[in-house]
Amino acid sequence: MLEQSEFIKSVYDLKELPARKLPEVILCGRSNVGKSSFINSLLGRQGLAKISSTPGKTRCINYYLIDNKFYLVDLPGYGYAKTSQKERLFWGKLVSEFISSSENIVLAIHLIDCRHKPTDLDIQLNLLLIQSRVPFDVILSKSDKLKQSEYKPSRESTFNNLAGLVSPEDIIFYSSIKGKGKKEVQKKFWELFYSK
Ligand SMILES: Nc1nc2c(ncn2[C@@H]2O[C@H](COP(=O)(O)OP(=O)(O)OP(=O)(O)O)[C@@H](O)[C@H]2O)c(=O)[nH]1
Ligand SMILES: [Mg+2]
């Protein structure tokens, strides 16, 4: 499981989506929240998805083929203040059109930094996923930055600010550095793609 991973292509225009249709798991969330790091740590392949300390690194939709079964799709992050208005609009449009029009998304992983409460753009994304009837999981990233006592408040503030979640306990904490949460995420992939 999650053994073979291969970069397929970068997409800047929805007309360029891969011709081969497969189920997709998409990674979405604010710029710098750790989407690309999540992909690398989950696959155990540092450097597969590009990471940088400069936010806004992922500027296009990147497709990775996993075990010849499904695509992991790294989406551009939103909400980086220094990005020009024109570029922000371009990415916002690309991501929202992608989510609302895709018929292949089986799961959206919405990453939120565990130290911050969901932003307005997180709330917009949450509503877009619900409207588009895309199943989603909320994962709190960078959990290595939290003290034990901060887990419960972090989970509750996320739960209280987003719609469509059944219980705060459904929210997973993840750390790309420590590997926390990896087993729980692997279990989800197992159930989606490998157990049948
Ligand atoms: N402490 C800590 N830092 C992390 C973790 N995951 C990512 N980072 C750091 O956060 C920064 C952004 O990570 P990326 O994976 O590039 O974030 P992204 O969401 O892909 O960003 P964009 O491509 O701009 O949308 C980098 O400096 C990472 O090293 C984590 O689990 N813990
Ligand atoms: Mg990225």
Side-chain angles (χ1 to χ4, degrees), residues 4-154:
Q4 286 179 309
S5 46
E6 183 191 346
F7 171 70
I8 298 296
K9 73 184 297 195
S10 294
V11 171
Y12 292 84
D13 184 312
L14 297 186
K15 293 189 203 87
E16 301 162 2
L17 293 173
R20 183 178 177 204
K21 298 298 172 206
L22 286 173
E24 298 173 356
V25 176
I26 63 169
L27 264 298
C28 38
R30 270 179 61 195
S31 190
N32 213 37
V33 71
K35 298 177 292 299
S36 302
S37 307
F38 176 93
I39 292 182
N40 291 339
S41 81
L42 187 68
L43 300 174
R45 294 229 5 223
Q46 294 316 313
L48 181 69
K50 292 276 172 297
I51 295 170
S52 139
S53 49
T54 328
K57 185 71 186 170
T58 311
R59 287 162 185 266
C60 46
I61 299 175
N62 285 317
Y63 271 81
Y64 301 92
L65 174 65
I66 313 301
D67 292 341
N68 211 21
K69 276 178 182 290
F70 67 96
Y71 293 120
L72 258 187
V73 184
D74 194 9
L75 293 180
Y78 47 76
Y80 181 53
K82 285 193 188 157
T83 308
S84 75
Q85 169 81 351
K86 197 174 152 204
E87 273 186 298
R88 260 187 278 167
L89 286 175
F90 172 74
W91 294 344
K93 195 162 171 284
L94 184 69
V95 171
S96 57
E97 285 183 6
F98 175 78
I99 290 174
S100 53
S101 66
S102 174
E103 288 164 5
N104 306 305
I105 306 173
V106 293
L107 179 66
I109 295 180
H110 181 174
L111 282 187
I112 296 177
D113 188 318
C114 63
R115 295 165 295 176
H116 308 298
K117 88 175 217 262
T119 63
D120 289 347
L121 291 170
D122 282 317
I123 293 169
Q124 279 182 34
L125 171 67
N126 176 244
L127 295 176
L128 176 66
L129 292 171
I130 293 171
Q131 274 166 13
S132 311
R133 296 178 196 285
V134 171
F136 67 92
D137 276 322
V138 173
I139 296 191
L140 293 170
S141 66
K142 307 195 185 183
S143 68
D144 50 280
K145 302 266 191 190
L146 283 192
K147 296 194 205 103
Q148 202 56 41
S149 61
E150 294 170 321
Y151 277 75
K152 196 164 179 259
S154 162

